[in-house]
Amino acid sequence: MSRRANYALCEFQQHLGPAADSLDVPWAEYTGNSTDPVSFNIPTSSSADPYVEMQVFDVEDFNHEIVVNGEPLSGFDIAPGEGWQLWMDTIAPERLHLGENTIQFRRNTDSKDAFVVGSVTVHWTEPVE
């Protein structure tokens, strides 16, 4: 069976942090300890090899979470880095399903870290029909 790559672009532009003034990013919406969930559609019940690429700004802590369909991904999700960074994390294949799915970012509330989630792309492969 042949497979092809597919993806969904999820726009956040949201600032997570302990306070609205924790970063000088007036172009990003301050949302506190978590982003709004963003929905994306998977057009197949046979998705495989899923992963997420995220554009993040000024992350200082390893312990923030990515949540897919209400469940956090395992391990460290976002690596620290100054300025804009592009990171990738895998998603367990059973986490995605046919139809509407959601992705959300949660800040580690034990940290004083503040960061921005920019654009996020969820990738998967699907059968060629």
Side-chain angles (χ1 to χ4, degrees):
M1 168 173 56
S2 295
R3 298 188 70 82
R4 66 175 170 221
N6 203 345
Y7 69 93
L9 179 62
C10 303
E11 290 294 341
F12 285 90
Q13 306 307 325
Q14 294 181 17
H15 165 202
L16 303 183
D21 63 354
S22 56
L23 273 179
D24 185 18
V25 288
W27 44 267
E29 176 188 3
Y30 176 71
T31 57
N33 292 324
S34 64
T35 64
D36 298 330
V38 171
S39 296
F40 61 96
N41 189 54
I42 301 285
T44 179
S45 60
S46 300
S47 64
D49 310 313
Y51 64 95
V52 58
E53 289 181 313
M54 68 211 78
Q55 179 190 46
V56 291
F57 178 76
D58 221 22
V59 177
E60 294 179 0
D61 188 340
F62 272 107
N63 294 319
H64 306 300
E65 291 184 322
I66 300 171
V67 179
V68 175
N69 292 325
E71 295 292 325
L73 300 183
S74 62
F76 293 114
D77 296 337
I78 309 167
E82 290 183 26
W84 282 108
Q85 303 290 318
L86 180 66
W87 299 108
M88 184 196 89
D89 197 4
T90 58
I91 301 171
E94 64 276 4
R95 189 65 55 90
L96 299 179
H97 55 262
L98 174 66
E100 184 177 311
N101 292 260
T102 60
I103 187 166
Q104 181 179 34
F105 290 73
R106 291 185 190 155
R107 187 180 80 82
N108 174 12
T109 57
D110 292 333
S111 166
K112 294 180 181 179
D113 192 12
F115 63 99
V116 174
V117 179
S119 299
V120 173
T121 308
V122 179
H123 299 263
W124 65 90
T125 64
E126 60 191 37
V128 175
E129 308 267 339

